[in-house]
Amino acid sequence: MYQYSDFDAAFVASRNAQFRQQVERRIDGSLTEDEFRPLRLMNGLYLQLHAYMLRVAIPYGTLSSAQMRQLAYIAERFDKGYGHFTTRQNIQYNWPRLSDVPDILDALAEVQLHAIQTSGNTIRNVTADHFAGAAADEIADPRPVAELIRQWSTDHPEFQFLPRKFKIAVTGSPNDRAVTKAHDIGLRMVEQNGEPGFEVIVGGGLGRTPMIGKVIREFLPRAELLPYLEAIVSVWNLLGRRDNKYKARIKITVHEHGIDDIRARVEERFALLRTAFNGVDQQILAGIEAQFAAPDFRTAPTDAFDTAYAEDPVFRSWADTNLAPHRADGYAIVQVSLKAQGETPGDASADQMRLLADLAARYGHDELRISHEQNVILPHVHKSDLPAIHAELEAQRLATANIGLISDIIACPGMDYCALATARSIPIAQEIATRFDELKLEHDIGALKIKISGCINACGHHHVGHIGILGLDRAGVENYQITLGGDHTETAALGARTGRGFAADEVIPAIERLVYAYLDLRTDRSETFLETYRRLGADPFKAALYPEKQESRANAA
Amino acid sequence: MSRIFTPKVITANALIEGDVIYLAADDSWTRELTEAEVLTDEAHAQLRLLEAESRQAEVVGAYLADVKPSVTGPEPTHFREEFRRTGPSNYFHGKQAQR
């Protein structure tokens, strides 16, 4: 894992010292809120519905056990004993006091974490495949490149006042787990004639105007990444709409100018910039790569796993649902669900965080990952250790076997916490998860992604959910729109709206009708919800959602 | 004819805790909506809001929120204000747990 250089440590320490003074001046009244707001946002501090919220970056989703332990300590010492993992590989503390935030930032710096550029119109935390360095299907580990981008983008003098926020995601695998097509820039590591490089995707994004990203460069040689990124961001920095915040994101710039025009401008700028990069970035990258060397995987028998798998049906169900193939023999990737039915998606208590840290230290080569799907990953676990890990997870209610299933729901904080929300999302997730658990249908239904947002900003990625749910305020009442057919992977697609929205108490019955329709319509168990939807189109699902319409049509006929 | 002015309270977030607070008639800030001063005259409400906004070393983001009177004091008219005075609904914590 990457270790801070002296430069990194000094930079974070000086930013924290500056912010400490800014907080002091706000509290003694010498700064007004209007003066203070941009300063706190630069350091990830929001004011939400009930309290401040501090968003801490987890760069490319990677944590060591010491870092996870410190996150637990902060939750207990300065917050209400829990943290909330987000859809962009951050952790949010929902209840810090303003006067404690400088101490929290210092505590984070002790373990090489920070909240810089987790907010504001800057390049945000760079996200990556949460299976990076472990996945069997991977071409290369995307994290060294993500770290290089972090170093380039942090405090980049040209990019501190962008037209709007800017998000970059990197994947090293053809199976896209980083939602690259819904980012301002998505990078997919590819090879051409044996040479490593990137497919560069630009102009994706969800929110008010959802767009799937477009390929701006099919193959970019690896060494030219930073000048090319700088060319894209600087072209948009000049061109982006500063007159209207709803049209300021690069997806609108690409849409209005056309990808060919943007490509031409970027190439022109790139021709100038590439000469300014004299190779220092590649030296730095080589140094970073050395720090991401794979752990020493051990060779050992997997008898303990095989026995537990054969004899313990609870363990078997968990193993079938929550494990993913690892590139090393005898190893597995463990996905720990933060979606126990009825709990808040993405929340972890300090005790749970400490257990995860202990498991990583004892069994997992000291590595943890946070997924954009709000779960925690132990990326490198030898199969012989899985029965012991499963038993310990059970004791902290972390052994829910539901990864990729109907209760593994992404939900934004919604109106339970967020000042921007127009409706709640967490209680809808809780009710759906609890209902299908009662029906004992979850495993029979199989792969199904439900994603819920509490406003059109779409932090809950509802547009790319197989079933998307969007909470709105309709004349002072919570109302939920349903979209179908979204896809967040390499075959990314935006879901289509089905029709009128549903009142809060109508949503769960509506989802139930959808799911029963799917169970009736699928060819067999191997056909997923999304496949059935793609085969048949929206009509049979709309009929299930709006039975009253069918009735009135029948009556009219 | 101008629109009828509906009753309002002044609400904000406390500077240090970020907690939801309301302006009381005696100029103190209270954590309880039921103790807030109910403003029924538009000109008076605007004046009180200016006074609240000027206390920038105590509060953040003061604004007027609609309420309806009840026997136990003012009640919110919109669900957002209901969550603000109660706390998150996903489980029992926040403001509701501090009473």
Side-chain angles (χ1 to χ4, degrees):
Chain A
M1 274 178 65
Y2 182 72
Q3 296 296 314
Y4 273 12
S5 64
D6 291 347
F7 177 88
D8 298 331
F11 171 74
V12 172
S14 76
R15 278 287 295 261
N16 286 353
Q18 283 170 12
F19 190 58
R20 182 177 291 278
Q21 292 177 351
Q22 289 156 356
V23 169
E24 278 168 15
R25 291 202 292 278
R26 176 68 185 102
I27 291 174
D28 73 19
S30 38
L31 286 177
T32 65
E33 185 60 20
D34 283 348
E35 291 164 331
F36 181 63
R37 189 186 306 111
L39 302 173
R40 68 168 158 80
L41 289 178
M42 274 183 219
N43 292 285
L45 186 63
Y46 289 73
L47 182 59
Q48 292 288 28
L49 217 49
H50 317 287
Y52 289 93
M53 179 272 279
L54 183 67
R55 180 182 293 155
V56 178
I58 298 169
Y60 31 88
T62 295
L63 287 173
S64 67
S65 64
Q67 289 174 323
M68 184 64 114
R69 248 180 232 123
Q70 190 78 338
L71 293 178
Y73 163 76
I74 290 168
E76 224 154 46
R77 169 77 180 76
F78 299 105
D79 208 272
K80 291 190 189 296
Y82 73 99
H84 176 75
F85 292 104
T86 77
T87 55
R88 284 208 81 256
Q89 298 179 323
N90 298 300
I91 182 170
Q92 294 181 173
Y93 291 107
N94 285 325
W95 306 94
R97 291 160 55 96
L98 176 60
S99 45
D100 287 337
V101 173
D103 290 343
I104 298 176
L105 293 179
D106 284 349
L108 289 167
E110 284 174 21
V111 291
Q112 309 194 346
L113 288 171
H114 64 71
I116 296 165
Q117 289 181 210
T118 59
S119 173
N121 295 334
T122 55
I123 298 175
R124 301 287 188 86
N125 185 34
V126 181
T127 54
D129 182 354
H130 43 267
F131 291 171
D137 58 8
E138 186 172 270
I139 297 169
D141 188 339
R143 292 174 301 158
V145 162
E147 174 59 32
L148 182 72
I149 297 171
R150 169 164 78 146
Q151 297 190 12
W152 160 79
S153 63
T154 300
D155 214 29
H156 191 304
E158 194 179 327
F159 302 145
Q160 292 304 297
F161 297 93
L162 293 169
R164 199 79 176 82
K165 58 189 165 186
F166 199 87
K167 301 176 182 175
I168 302 175
V170 198
T171 176
S173 159
N175 296 307
D176 184 1
R177 289 173 288 260
V179 212
T180 57
K181 288 186 175 171
H183 278 76
D184 295 285
I185 292 178
L187 296 170
R188 295 181 56 216
M189 297 174 112
V190 290
E191 282 181 350
Q192 197 178 70
N193 306 323
E195 189 197 352
F198 302 95
E199 179 187 72
V200 185
I201 299 160
V202 71
L206 302 175
R208 174 181 301 256
T209 319
M211 304 256 187
I212 297 295
K214 299 170 182 73
V215 176
I216 187 166
R217 185 67 112 82
E218 279 179 14
F219 184 79
L220 178 73
R222 217 174 96 102
E224 298 185 344
L225 178 65
L226 286 191
Y228 196 80
L229 291 182
E230 191 150 309
I232 294 175
V233 183
S234 66
V235 163
W236 168 67
N237 198 12
L238 284 178
L239 221 52
R241 296 269 304 264
R242 287 169 196 269
D243 60 317
N244 182 341
K245 75 181 264 197
Y246 302 124
K247 297 191 171 176
R249 296 287 291 269
I250 196 172
K251 61 190 171 186
I252 306 290
T253 316
V254 170
H255 183 70
E256 287 184 348
H257 289 258
I259 185 71
D260 294 330
D261 177 78
I262 297 295
R263 183 181 296 118
R265 288 170 192 261
V266 167
E267 291 294 338
E268 195 182 330
R269 180 91 185 125
F270 175 57
L272 285 173
L273 285 173
R274 65 195 303 186
T275 57
F277 283 77
N278 55 13
V280 172
D281 56 320
Q282 293 307 298
Q283 290 168 22
I284 291 174
L285 178 59
I288 295 170
E289 271 179 334
Q291 301 193 49
F292 282 98
D296 287 330
F297 296 122
R298 67 191 156 105
T299 311
T302 60
D303 301 353
F305 171 80
D306 300 332
T307 308
Y309 190 85
E311 290 173 4
D312 179 353
V314 176
F315 176 77
R316 184 163 59 242
S317 167
W318 176 79
D320 285 342
T321 312
N322 290 32
L323 301 182
H326 196 282
R327 65 191 178 89
D329 279 345
Y331 272 75
I333 300 171
V334 177
Q335 305 181 76
V336 179
S337 169
L338 295 183
K339 317 285 179 69
Q341 290 87 358
E343 296 295 325
T344 300
D347 273 12
S349 71
D351 285 341
Q352 289 176 327
M353 287 189 242
R354 263 191 296 266
L355 173 68
L356 290 164
D358 289 349
L359 293 176
R362 265 187 286 151
Y363 303 113
H365 296 275
D366 211 43
E367 277 204 40
L368 293 144
R369 305 287 168 74
I370 307 303
S371 76
H372 80 269
E373 292 175 317
Q374 302 179 284
N375 292 313
V376 179
I377 318 293
L378 293 163
H380 308 299
V381 175
H382 194 270
K383 283 188 174 175
S384 59
D385 294 326
L386 288 170
I389 288 176
H390 180 254
E392 296 204 41
L393 289 173
E394 272 188 322
Q396 282 289 346
R397 236 192 140 207
L398 285 170
T400 312
N402 66 346
I403 295 291
L405 303 182
I406 193 169
S407 62
D408 183 10
I409 298 171
I410 289 187
C412 75
M415 203 179 272
D416 287 305
Y417 300 92
C418 179
L420 298 174
T422 45
R424 288 174 295 167
S425 17
I426 294 167
I428 301 294
Q430 290 171 312
E431 286 175 46
I432 292 172
T434 308
R435 178 64 183 147
F436 283 92
D437 193 37
E438 284 165 3
L439 293 172
K440 297 291 167 220
L441 273 177
E442 183 154 44
H443 289 266
D444 188 28
I445 297 162
L448 176 54
K449 303 270 186 191
I450 297 185
K451 301 181 195 277
I452 310 175
S453 305
C455 81
I456 56 172
N457 294 310
C459 294
H461 296 188
H462 64 276
H463 298 110
V464 292
H466 303 166
I467 299 176
I469 301 176
L470 167 62
L472 295 168
D473 175 351
R474 284 273 176 266
V477 180
E478 289 169 296
N479 189 274
Y480 295 87
Q481 280 181 3
I482 293 180
T483 51
L484 295 175
D487 177 358
H488 70 292
T489 69
E490 62 284 356
T491 48
L494 300 172
R497 248 187 79 184
T498 52
R500 71 159 179 89
F502 295 86
D505 59 356
E506 296 173 342
V507 179
I508 282 72
I511 301 297
E512 239 181 279
R513 292 199 297 278
L514 267 180
V515 169
Y516 279 119
Y518 155 66
L519 293 176
D520 286 344
L521 292 165
R522 69 181 176 186
T523 50
D524 58 66
R525 279 182 72 109
S526 71
E527 190 182 58
T528 64
F529 179 90
L530 188 61
E531 288 162 354
T532 304
Y533 177 84
R534 284 180 171 163
R535 177 169 60 83
L536 296 173
D539 286 346
F541 294 99
K542 282 187 188 173
L545 271 180
Y546 305 105
E548 70 281 4
K549 224 176 216 172
Q550 307 302 311
E551 236 166 71
S552 68
R553 251 185 230 156
N555 291 342
Chain B
M1 207 181 88
S2 62
R3 270 194 323 155
I4 294 164
F5 184 75
T6 50
K8 292 190 172 41
V9 296
I10 288 171
T11 181
N13 292 82
L15 175 67
I16 304 294
E17 298 82 7
D19 196 9
V20 173
I21 51 177
Y22 305 91
L23 187 62
D26 66 358
D27 284 345
S28 67
W29 294 100
T30 170
R31 256 76 182 162
E32 296 299 325
L33 175 59
T34 50
E35 295 166 4
E37 177 188 10
V38 179
L39 305 162
T40 52
D41 176 81
E42 184 164 12
H44 181 57
Q46 290 301 334
L47 195 66
R48 292 292 280 162
L49 180 60
L50 284 174
E51 287 169 7
E53 284 172 340
S54 73
R55 294 165 70 175
Q56 52 104 1
E58 299 165 48
V59 302
V60 184
Y63 65 94
L64 292 165
D66 279 319
V67 289
K68 57 188 177 217
S70 84
V71 284
T72 53
E75 291 280 322
T77 62
H78 190 278
F79 62 91
R80 187 175 194 271
E81 292 301 328
E82 177 59 47
F83 294 127
R84 285 185 79 242
R85 77 153 173 181
T86 311
S89 73
N90 52 332
Y91 63 97
F92 185 81
H93 71 309
K95 216 175 184 58
Q96 57 206 323
Q98 283 155 6
R99 291 193 177 116

